[in-house]
Amino acid sequence: MSGHIWEAIMKELWFRGELKEIGRDECFELLGSRSVGRIGYCTSGGAVILPVNHAVIGGEIVVRVSPGGQTARYLRDNAPEPDLTYEVDDFDDYTESGWSVLVTGTARATSPESLASLTDRPVPWPAGDYWDYVRIHPTRVTGRRLVPA
Amino acid sequence: MSGHIWEAIMKELWFRGELKEIGRDECFELLGSRSVGRIGYCTSGGAVILPVNHAVIGGEIVVRVSPGGQTARYLRDNAPEPDLTYEVDDFDDYTESGWSVLVTGTARATSPESLASLTDRPVPWPAGDYWDYVRIHPTRVTGRRLVPA
């Protein structure tokens, strides 16, 4: 039996991490600790997953989308309360550990003026016309931490 | 005007990256360079996004799921060809740059024996009964690179 196969079998049996649930407060802390996450929504062609920049403001997740883009179209087509999922995670390849937070909620168009302060709002990394502000109101927040073996 | 607000306005106007499309071959290279991605699928409660370990084998993405889990249930309920989305990305907070690849496809149950070799198969980082092997056959592969300003 070659060393590679032996290694694969060993890996399968041992050295595997443990998944632990994360409470809602810690989920929000983790969401706030990052500026990139992924919005998810359903189309006739299946689920769409797209990285975006976000901010956590008043218990909601705020993102910005381009008025001419596919996400804006989805939100318009499913107004007034389209489902919108948001996911944030972080993983370490070396220790094979990490965490993820999944927010299921409904989206509402909002205005930059309605946000608490100018400095809190999300700023997209790419150049572009990300003028539509969208608030995701969470209906379900779950998270898991993968603790190294 | 406070320094913080000034900084926010400057950031809005300048120093923003440029999005560039990634070709299909490079998308597969990027998929193969990572062992963690996110499956996405649609349920009555909206899109689900869940991190998993993957392997790229013969132009398909192979993941493993727990027979008793929600993903296995989704796949059973939508057999024989459930839509399944897969997303991989990587971002750098310092340079505000990165890339993402989105695969839209259909999923099929498969067996470990059908995979080219034992060492190629995906090994989940968490301990658990990830006995079900699933191949995602891509119908659409798109990617974007965010190049620093």
Side-chain angles (χ1 to χ4, degrees), chain B residues 58-85:
Chain B
E60 296 183 319
I61 294 151
V62 181
V63 300
R64 292 167 57 177
V65 302
S66 174
Q70 64 172 321
T71 302
R73 192 164 57 242
Y74 163 79
L75 295 172
R76 273 196 305 273
D77 290 350
N78 293 277
E81 288 207 333
D83 289 329
L84 202 57
T85 295

PDB file of all heavy atoms in Angstrom, chain B residues 58-85:
ATOM      1  N   GLY B  58     -12.009  15.319 -12.648  1.00  0.00           N
ATOM      2  CA  GLY B  58     -12.569  15.145 -13.984  1.00  0.00           C
ATOM      3  C   GLY B  58     -13.558  16.230 -14.376  1.00  0.00           C
ATOM      4  O   GLY B  58     -14.608  15.931 -14.946  1.00  0.00           O
ATOM      5  N   GLY B  59     -13.223  17.467 -14.061  1.00  0.00           N
ATOM      6  CA  GLY B  59     -14.082  18.575 -14.461  1.00  0.00           C
ATOM      7  C   GLY B  59     -15.347  18.711 -13.629  1.00  0.00           C
ATOM      8  O   GLY B  59     -16.240  19.488 -13.974  1.00  0.00           O
ATOM      9  N   GLU B  60     -15.439  17.934 -12.558  1.00  0.00           N
ATOM     10  CA  GLU B  60     -16.577  18.042 -11.654  1.00  0.00           C
ATOM     11  C   GLU B  60     -16.080  18.350 -10.244  1.00  0.00           C
ATOM     12  O   GLU B  60     -14.909  18.129  -9.922  1.00  0.00           O
ATOM     13  CB  GLU B  60     -17.391  16.746 -11.656  1.00  0.00           C
ATOM     14  CG  GLU B  60     -18.030  16.462 -13.016  1.00  0.00           C
ATOM     15  CD  GLU B  60     -18.892  15.223 -12.992  1.00  0.00           C
ATOM     16  OE1 GLU B  60     -18.482  14.220 -12.375  1.00  0.00           O
ATOM     17  OE2 GLU B  60     -19.967  15.248 -13.614  1.00  0.00           O
ATOM     18  N   ILE B  61     -16.990  18.853  -9.434  1.00  0.00           N
ATOM     19  CA  ILE B  61     -16.650  19.141  -8.046  1.00  0.00           C
ATOM     20  C   ILE B  61     -17.262  18.040  -7.196  1.00  0.00           C
ATOM     21  O   ILE B  61     -18.443  17.726  -7.331  1.00  0.00           O
ATOM     22  CB  ILE B  61     -17.205  20.516  -7.638  1.00  0.00           C
ATOM     23  CG1 ILE B  61     -16.490  21.598  -8.450  1.00  0.00           C
ATOM     24  CG2 ILE B  61     -17.017  20.776  -6.155  1.00  0.00           C
ATOM     25  CD1 ILE B  61     -17.320  22.814  -8.673  1.00  0.00           C
ATOM     26  N   VAL B  62     -16.450  17.443  -6.342  1.00  0.00           N
ATOM     27  CA  VAL B  62     -16.927  16.354  -5.492  1.00  0.00           C
ATOM     28  C   VAL B  62     -16.930  16.819  -4.040  1.00  0.00           C
ATOM     29  O   VAL B  62     -15.933  17.358  -3.552  1.00  0.00           O
ATOM     30  CB  VAL B  62     -16.059  15.089  -5.643  1.00  0.00           C
ATOM     31  CG1 VAL B  62     -16.586  13.963  -4.758  1.00  0.00           C
ATOM     32  CG2 VAL B  62     -16.009  14.645  -7.095  1.00  0.00           C
ATOM     33  N   VAL B  63     -18.066  16.644  -3.390  1.00  0.00           N
ATOM     34  CA  VAL B  63     -18.184  16.984  -1.979  1.00  0.00           C
ATOM     35  C   VAL B  63     -18.791  15.773  -1.257  1.00  0.00           C
ATOM     36  O   VAL B  63     -19.262  14.826  -1.902  1.00  0.00           O
ATOM     37  CB  VAL B  63     -19.069  18.234  -1.743  1.00  0.00           C
ATOM     38  CG1 VAL B  63     -18.490  19.445  -2.458  1.00  0.00           C
ATOM     39  CG2 VAL B  63     -20.506  17.999  -2.186  1.00  0.00           C
ATOM     40  N   ARG B  64     -18.762  15.814   0.065  1.00  0.00           N
ATOM     41  CA  ARG B  64     -19.342  14.722   0.844  1.00  0.00           C
ATOM     42  C   ARG B  64     -20.310  15.299   1.857  1.00  0.00           C
ATOM     43  O   ARG B  64     -20.046  16.333   2.449  1.00  0.00           O
ATOM     44  CB  ARG B  64     -18.229  13.944   1.548  1.00  0.00           C
ATOM     45  CG  ARG B  64     -17.366  13.191   0.557  1.00  0.00           C
ATOM     46  CD  ARG B  64     -16.104  12.676   1.179  1.00  0.00           C
ATOM     47  NE  ARG B  64     -16.389  11.820   2.332  1.00  0.00           N
ATOM     48  CZ  ARG B  64     -15.419  11.192   3.024  1.00  0.00           C
ATOM     49  NH1 ARG B  64     -14.149  11.343   2.672  1.00  0.00           N
ATOM     50  NH2 ARG B  64     -15.724  10.434   4.051  1.00  0.00           N
ATOM     51  N   VAL B  65     -21.432  14.643   2.002  1.00  0.00           N
ATOM     52  CA  VAL B  65     -22.437  15.143   2.941  1.00  0.00           C
ATOM     53  C   VAL B  65     -22.884  14.017   3.864  1.00  0.00           C
ATOM     54  O   VAL B  65     -22.732  12.842   3.555  1.00  0.00           O
ATOM     55  CB  VAL B  65     -23.658  15.760   2.204  1.00  0.00           C
ATOM     56  CG1 VAL B  65     -23.227  16.894   1.292  1.00  0.00           C
ATOM     57  CG2 VAL B  65     -24.424  14.703   1.420  1.00  0.00           C
ATOM     58  N   SER B  66     -23.442  14.423   4.988  1.00  0.00           N
ATOM     59  CA  SER B  66     -23.934  13.472   5.974  1.00  0.00           C
ATOM     60  C   SER B  66     -25.325  12.978   5.552  1.00  0.00           C
ATOM     61  O   SER B  66     -26.195  13.788   5.237  1.00  0.00           O
ATOM     62  CB  SER B  66     -24.005  14.178   7.326  1.00  0.00           C
ATOM     63  OG  SER B  66     -24.599  13.355   8.280  1.00  0.00           O
ATOM     64  N   PRO B  67     -25.550  11.658   5.525  1.00  0.00           N
ATOM     65  CA  PRO B  67     -26.839  11.125   5.052  1.00  0.00           C
ATOM     66  C   PRO B  67     -28.042  11.671   5.826  1.00  0.00           C
ATOM     67  O   PRO B  67     -29.127  11.787   5.279  1.00  0.00           O
ATOM     68  CB  PRO B  67     -26.707   9.614   5.284  1.00  0.00           C
ATOM     69  CG  PRO B  67     -25.249   9.345   5.382  1.00  0.00           C
ATOM     70  CD  PRO B  67     -24.612  10.582   5.923  1.00  0.00           C
ATOM     71  N   GLY B  68     -27.837  12.048   7.081  1.00  0.00           N
ATOM     72  CA  GLY B  68     -28.957  12.552   7.882  1.00  0.00           C
ATOM     73  C   GLY B  68     -29.098  14.067   7.867  1.00  0.00           C
ATOM     74  O   GLY B  68     -29.994  14.605   8.516  1.00  0.00           O
ATOM     75  N   GLY B  69     -28.239  14.747   7.126  1.00  0.00           N
ATOM     76  CA  GLY B  69     -28.215  16.212   7.168  1.00  0.00           C
ATOM     77  C   GLY B  69     -29.180  16.869   6.197  1.00  0.00           C
ATOM     78  O   GLY B  69     -29.818  16.202   5.375  1.00  0.00           O
ATOM     79  N   GLN B  70     -29.275  18.195   6.286  1.00  0.00           N
ATOM     80  CA  GLN B  70     -30.245  18.933   5.474  1.00  0.00           C
ATOM     81  C   GLN B  70     -29.870  18.923   3.989  1.00  0.00           C
ATOM     82  O   GLN B  70     -30.754  18.933   3.137  1.00  0.00           O
ATOM     83  CB  GLN B  70     -30.395  20.373   5.990  1.00  0.00           C
ATOM     84  CG  GLN B  70     -29.159  21.223   5.878  1.00  0.00           C
ATOM     85  CD  GLN B  70     -29.455  22.699   6.229  1.00  0.00           C
ATOM     86  OE1 GLN B  70     -30.492  23.245   5.885  1.00  0.00           O
ATOM     87  NE2 GLN B  70     -28.518  23.331   6.914  1.00  0.00           N
ATOM     88  N   THR B  71     -28.577  18.868   3.693  1.00  0.00           N
ATOM     89  CA  THR B  71     -28.172  18.861   2.281  1.00  0.00           C
ATOM     90  C   THR B  71     -28.565  17.537   1.624  1.00  0.00           C
ATOM     91  O   THR B  71     -29.086  17.526   0.501  1.00  0.00           O
ATOM     92  CB  THR B  71     -26.661  19.109   2.149  1.00  0.00           C
ATOM     93  OG1 THR B  71     -26.344  20.357   2.770  1.00  0.00           O
ATOM     94  CG2 THR B  71     -26.244  19.157   0.686  1.00  0.00           C
ATOM     95  N   ALA B  72     -28.347  16.429   2.346  1.00  0.00           N
ATOM     96  CA  ALA B  72     -28.753  15.111   1.817  1.00  0.00           C
ATOM     97  C   ALA B  72     -30.267  15.076   1.584  1.00  0.00           C
ATOM     98  O   ALA B  72     -30.734  14.535   0.579  1.00  0.00           O
ATOM     99  CB  ALA B  72     -28.328  14.002   2.783  1.00  0.00           C
ATOM    100  N   ARG B  73     -31.006  15.681   2.507  1.00  0.00           N
ATOM    101  CA  ARG B  73     -32.465  15.713   2.375  1.00  0.00           C
ATOM    102  C   ARG B  73     -32.867  16.507   1.125  1.00  0.00           C
ATOM    103  O   ARG B  73     -33.704  16.079   0.332  1.00  0.00           O
ATOM    104  CB  ARG B  73     -33.102  16.319   3.624  1.00  0.00           C
ATOM    105  CG  ARG B  73     -34.586  16.125   3.701  1.00  0.00           C
ATOM    106  CD  ARG B  73     -35.121  16.381   5.110  1.00  0.00           C
ATOM    107  NE  ARG B  73     -34.783  17.715   5.599  1.00  0.00           N
ATOM    108  CZ  ARG B  73     -34.019  17.963   6.678  1.00  0.00           C
ATOM    109  NH1 ARG B  73     -33.481  16.976   7.366  1.00  0.00           N
ATOM    110  NH2 ARG B  73     -33.776  19.203   7.053  1.00  0.00           N
ATOM    111  N   TYR B  74     -32.228  17.679   0.952  1.00  0.00           N
ATOM    112  CA  TYR B  74     -32.499  18.486  -0.246  1.00  0.00           C
ATOM    113  C   TYR B  74     -32.226  17.670  -1.521  1.00  0.00           C
ATOM    114  O   TYR B  74     -33.020  17.684  -2.461  1.00  0.00           O
ATOM    115  CB  TYR B  74     -31.656  19.769  -0.239  1.00  0.00           C
ATOM    116  CG  TYR B  74     -31.576  20.414  -1.599  1.00  0.00           C
ATOM    117  CD1 TYR B  74     -32.636  21.187  -2.073  1.00  0.00           C
ATOM    118  CD2 TYR B  74     -30.475  20.206  -2.437  1.00  0.00           C
ATOM    119  CE1 TYR B  74     -32.586  21.748  -3.347  1.00  0.00           C
ATOM    120  CE2 TYR B  74     -30.420  20.769  -3.698  1.00  0.00           C
ATOM    121  CZ  TYR B  74     -31.477  21.537  -4.155  1.00  0.00           C
ATOM    122  OH  TYR B  74     -31.440  22.080  -5.404  1.00  0.00           O
ATOM    123  N   LEU B  75     -31.089  16.978  -1.533  1.00  0.00           N
ATOM    124  CA  LEU B  75     -30.699  16.231  -2.732  1.00  0.00           C
ATOM    125  C   LEU B  75     -31.693  15.101  -3.012  1.00  0.00           C
ATOM    126  O   LEU B  75     -32.074  14.869  -4.167  1.00  0.00           O
ATOM    127  CB  LEU B  75     -29.279  15.679  -2.573  1.00  0.00           C
ATOM    128  CG  LEU B  75     -28.167  16.738  -2.473  1.00  0.00           C
ATOM    129  CD1 LEU B  75     -26.831  16.094  -2.112  1.00  0.00           C
ATOM    130  CD2 LEU B  75     -28.046  17.531  -3.786  1.00  0.00           C
ATOM    131  N   ARG B  76     -32.135  14.425  -1.953  1.00  0.00           N
ATOM    132  CA  ARG B  76     -33.134  13.344  -2.121  1.00  0.00           C
ATOM    133  C   ARG B  76     -34.451  13.906  -2.642  1.00  0.00           C
ATOM    134  O   ARG B  76     -35.051  13.380  -3.570  1.00  0.00           O
ATOM    135  CB  ARG B  76     -33.385  12.650  -0.783  1.00  0.00           C
ATOM    136  CG  ARG B  76     -32.421  11.525  -0.473  1.00  0.00           C
ATOM    137  CD  ARG B  76     -32.969  10.631   0.657  1.00  0.00           C
ATOM    138  NE  ARG B  76     -33.288  11.371   1.862  1.00  0.00           N
ATOM    139  CZ  ARG B  76     -32.418  11.657   2.834  1.00  0.00           C
ATOM    140  NH1 ARG B  76     -31.157  11.261   2.728  1.00  0.00           N
ATOM    141  NH2 ARG B  76     -32.795  12.328   3.911  1.00  0.00           N
ATOM    142  N   ASP B  77     -34.875  15.017  -2.037  1.00  0.00           N
ATOM    143  CA  ASP B  77     -36.180  15.601  -2.395  1.00  0.00           C
ATOM    144  C   ASP B  77     -36.199  16.128  -3.824  1.00  0.00           C
ATOM    145  O   ASP B  77     -37.277  16.301  -4.403  1.00  0.00           O
ATOM    146  CB  ASP B  77     -36.546  16.743  -1.437  1.00  0.00           C
ATOM    147  CG  ASP B  77     -36.877  16.242  -0.034  1.00  0.00           C
ATOM    148  OD1 ASP B  77     -37.003  15.008   0.132  1.00  0.00           O
ATOM    149  OD2 ASP B  77     -36.975  17.078   0.887  1.00  0.00           O
ATOM    150  N   ASN B  78     -35.029  16.437  -4.366  1.00  0.00           N
ATOM    151  CA  ASN B  78     -34.977  17.025  -5.699  1.00  0.00           C
ATOM    152  C   ASN B  78     -34.297  16.118  -6.720  1.00  0.00           C
ATOM    153  O   ASN B  78     -33.883  16.575  -7.782  1.00  0.00           O
ATOM    154  CB  ASN B  78     -34.294  18.394  -5.639  1.00  0.00           C
ATOM    155  CG  ASN B  78     -35.122  19.400  -4.857  1.00  0.00           C
ATOM    156  OD1 ASN B  78     -36.038  20.003  -5.392  1.00  0.00           O
ATOM    157  ND2 ASN B  78     -34.810  19.547  -3.570  1.00  0.00           N
ATOM    158  N   ALA B  79     -34.186  14.831  -6.372  1.00  0.00           N
ATOM    159  CA  ALA B  79     -33.597  13.857  -7.299  1.00  0.00           C
ATOM    160  C   ALA B  79     -34.439  13.781  -8.562  1.00  0.00           C
ATOM    161  O   ALA B  79     -35.630  14.098  -8.513  1.00  0.00           O
ATOM    162  CB  ALA B  79     -33.522  12.488  -6.618  1.00  0.00           C
ATOM    163  N   PRO B  80     -33.914  13.351  -9.735  1.00  0.00           N
ATOM    164  CA  PRO B  80     -32.557  12.834  -9.899  1.00  0.00           C
ATOM    165  C   PRO B  80     -31.502  13.904 -10.216  1.00  0.00           C
ATOM    166  O   PRO B  80     -30.317  13.575 -10.200  1.00  0.00           O
ATOM    167  CB  PRO B  80     -32.701  11.886 -11.095  1.00  0.00           C
ATOM    168  CG  PRO B  80     -33.739  12.552 -11.930  1.00  0.00           C
ATOM    169  CD  PRO B  80     -34.694  13.219 -10.968  1.00  0.00           C
ATOM    170  N   GLU B  81     -31.891  15.124 -10.537  1.00  0.00           N
ATOM    171  CA  GLU B  81     -30.879  16.119 -10.926  1.00  0.00           C
ATOM    172  C   GLU B  81     -31.080  17.434 -10.201  1.00  0.00           C
ATOM    173  O   GLU B  81     -31.442  18.446 -10.822  1.00  0.00           O
ATOM    174  CB  GLU B  81     -30.896  16.336 -12.439  1.00  0.00           C
ATOM    175  CG  GLU B  81     -30.341  15.177 -13.222  1.00  0.00           C
ATOM    176  CD  GLU B  81     -29.767  15.610 -14.559  1.00  0.00           C
ATOM    177  OE1 GLU B  81     -30.214  16.629 -15.112  1.00  0.00           O
ATOM    178  OE2 GLU B  81     -28.867  14.911 -15.061  1.00  0.00           O
ATOM    179  N   PRO B  82     -30.868  17.465  -8.895  1.00  0.00           N
ATOM    180  CA  PRO B  82     -31.058  18.709  -8.151  1.00  0.00           C
ATOM    181  C   PRO B  82     -30.042  19.772  -8.570  1.00  0.00           C
ATOM    182  O   PRO B  82     -28.882  19.457  -8.831  1.00  0.00           O
ATOM    183  CB  PRO B  82     -30.828  18.292  -6.703  1.00  0.00           C
ATOM    184  CG  PRO B  82     -30.045  17.016  -6.770  1.00  0.00           C
ATOM    185  CD  PRO B  82     -30.431  16.344  -8.047  1.00  0.00           C
ATOM    186  N   ASP B  83     -30.513  21.021  -8.637  1.00  0.00           N
ATOM    187  CA  ASP B  83     -29.581  22.136  -8.832  1.00  0.00           C
ATOM    188  C   ASP B  83     -28.653  22.215  -7.625  1.00  0.00           C
ATOM    189  O   ASP B  83     -29.111  22.092  -6.481  1.00  0.00           O
ATOM    190  CB  ASP B  83     -30.353  23.472  -8.907  1.00  0.00           C
ATOM    191  CG  ASP B  83     -31.150  23.614 -10.189  1.00  0.00           C
ATOM    192  OD1 ASP B  83     -30.708  23.063 -11.221  1.00  0.00           O
ATOM    193  OD2 ASP B  83     -32.208  24.267 -10.163  1.00  0.00           O
ATOM    194  N   LEU B  84     -27.382  22.448  -7.878  1.00  0.00           N
ATOM    195  CA  LEU B  84     -26.464  22.688  -6.766  1.00  0.00           C
ATOM    196  C   LEU B  84     -25.426  23.715  -7.215  1.00  0.00           C
ATOM    197  O   LEU B  84     -24.831  23.584  -8.289  1.00  0.00           O
ATOM    198  CB  LEU B  84     -25.791  21.386  -6.315  1.00  0.00           C
ATOM    199  CG  LEU B  84     -25.233  21.373  -4.886  1.00  0.00           C
ATOM    200  CD1 LEU B  84     -26.281  21.702  -3.836  1.00  0.00           C
ATOM    201  CD2 LEU B  84     -24.620  20.010  -4.563  1.00  0.00           C
ATOM    202  N   THR B  85     -25.266  24.740  -6.400  1.00  0.00           N
ATOM    203  CA  THR B  85     -24.328  25.820  -6.696  1.00  0.00           C
ATOM    204  C   THR B  85     -23.091  25.630  -5.837  1.00  0.00           C
ATOM    205  O   THR B  85     -23.184  25.141  -4.712  1.00  0.00           O
ATOM    206  CB  THR B  85     -25.015  27.172  -6.387  1.00  0.00           C
ATOM    207  OG1 THR B  85     -26.106  27.347  -7.284  1.00  0.00           O
ATOM    208  CG2 THR B  85     -24.059  28.333  -6.528  1.00  0.00           C
TER     209      THR B  85
END
